[in-house]
Amino acid sequence: FCLLNIRKTGLAFWLPPGRSEGLLFACLLRVVVSPRWVLSIMPAYNFKSMQVVPPAKDFIDIVLSKTQRQTPTVVHNGWAIQRIRQFYMRKVKFTAQNWNEKLTQILDDFPKVEDIHPFYSDLLNVLYDKDHYKLALGQLNTARNLIDKLSQDYVRLLKYGDSLYRCKELKRAALGRMCTLMKGQDASLKYLEQVRQHMSRLPGIDPNARSLLLCGYPNVGKSSMMNILTRADVEVQPYAFTTKSLYVGHMDYRYMRWQVLDTPGILDRPLEERNTIEMQSITALAHLRCAVLYLVDISEQCGYSLAQQAALFHSIKPLFANKPLLVLVNKTDVRPLEALSPEETALLQGMGDEARRISSGGAAAVDGGDAEGSALL
């Protein structure tokens, strides 16, 4: 009897004797190929656990010093040629194995763009350029394969070494070529270390958790609301783009944990003109299943008129599809709703009507968690 618990839903399979493997494979295949479950079985990465990527010079020192410490260091002229060959072959093989282990550790630590949630995949592309990232990992993978090939070639040559001097020079040439090869990877190693440092500071966002997402123009009060709803301590300042990256906080409601996301401000302009800060918000809106809170500053102290905020709302409206959506009016203590002109009231009413239409259209397409988010709001 096998129990699979995916997204808090129990799938029970009874496996009769003699047919267990085939039946389990068939059941798992049904789960894997079903689009509804694909995102749930993707691996979750802990970006903070990735090991440091040393620069090429330090990398070479680490590997060669380990070879020096963990292999025999003294060879005598009186040894038989076969023993001398084995002595130097061991050094070449041990060094190549060290390179292979270190490079494999780096390649395994960094997430594969195709294997992670689309939110993290696009966030990697926005922050670090997906092509550059894949190219750097690909160059390290190529270097690993070339070092293995070098080791095999020089071990083959060492088998036919006819003197101590010739074997020693072959070992020296093998280790030298490996080090020269890794020196050429210095730029990739430094780039990946910068990516690792930045990724370790990314917030731990769970794409499948119950989520509320705050969005809108810069300086409309998103971070202030985040600090009120959660225990997060997001910086709040009276100027635009104080928030330059995604922030996550948590709160409890009806004995359930909610994830609250504070996004950087978005400006109303074409997608290709938006900068890295804005694209983080767009990525979150596009890929996270959440209830969206669109904040509007009716006092216009944020530096943007009500008409501009309404234009942004309708501009990014496709990103709200299949999500519960609410338009929140902020800073009513500075300018009450009664002080709005008929035109401004019509703009607010239009956004509210559109939010209701989008929410009602997406209610059937989302899970109970999102519907519950709508009830919470």
Side-chain angles (χ1 to χ4, degrees):
F1 186 80
C2 175
L3 184 66
L4 298 182
N5 188 8
I6 302 178
R7 199 186 292 173
K8 297 185 179 180
T9 301
L11 301 181
F13 300 108
W14 177 69
L15 305 179
R19 300 180 56 193
S20 302
E21 296 82 0
L23 201 57
L24 178 59
F25 175 76
C27 295
L28 289 176
L29 189 63
R30 290 286 299 275
V31 173
V32 171
V33 301
S34 175
R36 183 179 177 185
W37 302 105
V38 167
L39 298 184
S40 298
I41 60 177
M42 286 185 173
Y45 283 90
N46 182 10
F47 299 131
K48 292 178 175 57
S49 66
M50 294 191 298
Q51 295 185 3
V52 175
V53 181
K57 184 177 181 302
D58 295 347
F59 212 161
I60 292 171
D61 291 343
I62 291 169
V63 172
L64 292 186
S65 64
K66 186 175 181 181
T67 301
Q68 184 73 9
R69 283 184 284 107
Q70 298 191 10
T71 56
T73 56
V74 179
V75 61
H76 301 284
N77 284 324
W79 284 3
I81 189 63
Q82 185 62 29
R83 186 175 179 183
I84 294 173
R85 290 171 185 163
Q86 291 295 332
F87 178 88
Y88 287 111
M89 285 165 60
R90 179 178 177 182
K91 282 190 173 292
V92 172
K93 288 179 180 178
F94 188 83
T95 306
Q97 182 182 356
N98 278 340
W99 283 119
N100 189 293
E101 290 174 357
K102 298 285 186 185
L103 291 173
T104 301
Q105 179 67 44
I106 293 174
L107 293 172
D108 290 344
D109 277 351
F110 282 88
K112 305 297 183 292
V113 175
E114 295 81 7
D115 295 342
I116 57 178
H117 193 279
F119 164 69
Y120 277 117
S121 177
D122 273 10
L123 193 61
L124 284 176
N125 189 34
V126 168
L127 296 175
Y128 320 116
D129 183 9
K130 187 187 297 185
D131 293 335
H132 192 181
Y133 175 78
K134 294 173 73 173
L135 183 62
L137 291 178
Q139 287 174 339
L140 290 190
N141 186 47
T142 301
R144 180 180 62 176
N145 295 333
L146 288 175
I147 286 175
D148 290 343
K149 183 70 165 56
L150 278 174
S151 172
Q152 294 172 5
D153 292 344
Y154 276 94
V155 166
R156 192 178 300 115
L157 290 173
L158 279 166
K159 288 180 180 178
Y160 300 99
D162 55 3
S163 66
L164 172 62
Y165 175 77
R166 190 180 296 275
C167 291
K168 183 176 180 180
E169 289 302 305
L170 284 171
K171 184 269 297 184
R172 186 178 178 185
L175 269 58
R177 288 187 65 182
M178 291 178 190
C179 294
T180 302
L181 185 61
M182 286 309 300
K183 283 181 182 177
Q185 305 301 320
D186 190 50
S188 296
L189 291 170
K190 288 180 177 177
Y191 167 76
L192 288 174
E193 172 58 16
Q194 291 177 352
V195 172
R196 184 201 68 82
Q197 291 178 1
H198 197 288
M199 290 175 69
S200 66
R201 295 191 291 267
L202 288 176
I205 298 174
D206 182 0
N208 297 315
R210 296 182 183 85
S211 303
L212 304 177
L213 189 143
L214 311 177
C215 68
Y217 259 103
N219 208 30
V220 296
K222 300 185 296 296
S223 298
S224 298
M225 185 171 182
M226 171 83 162
N227 291 340
I228 292 171
L229 290 176
T230 71
R231 295 179 181 177
D233 186 19
V234 184
E235 183 182 4
V236 178
Q237 295 293 341
Y239 51 80
F241 288 109
T242 306
T243 303
K244 296 182 175 64
S245 62
L246 297 171
Y247 286 89
V248 62
H250 296 87
M251 69 175 190
D252 292 323
Y253 178 74
R254 291 184 181 175
Y255 305 103
M256 287 183 291
R257 178 55 59 95
W258 289 78
Q259 181 176 249
V260 183
L261 301 172
D262 180 20
T263 63
I266 309 172
L267 300 180
D268 186 19
R269 52 185 176 180
L271 186 66
E272 58 273 9
E273 295 180 12
R274 291 194 166 110
N275 56 30
T276 302
I277 297 175
E278 296 172 86
M279 286 305 298
Q280 294 179 63
S281 301
I282 298 298
T283 302
L285 279 170
H287 292 296
L288 294 179
R289 303 174 65 254
C290 56
V292 180
L293 311 183
Y294 184 84
L295 272 72
V296 177
D297 178 6
I298 63 170
S299 70
E300 300 182 352
Q301 289 181 345
C302 62
Y304 304 96
S305 67
L306 206 55
Q308 289 175 304
Q309 296 178 64
L312 173 64
F313 175 85
H314 293 290
S315 171
I316 62 176
K317 188 169 56 178
L319 298 174
F320 301 146
N322 295 332
K323 296 181 177 74
L325 172 63
L326 276 183
V327 178
L328 304 187
V329 178
N330 194 20
K331 303 184 185 179
T332 54
D333 54 336
V334 179
R335 186 186 185 192
L337 289 171
E338 294 76 17
L340 296 180
S341 66
E343 293 79 9
E344 292 173 328
T345 304
L347 286 174
L348 280 179
Q349 187 63 42
M351 285 191 284
D353 293 342
E354 189 64 23
R356 278 191 292 274
R357 186 190 66 80
I358 293 173
S359 296
S360 62
V366 296
D367 275 358
D370 290 337
E372 203 166 334
S374 183
L376 161 67
L377 300 176

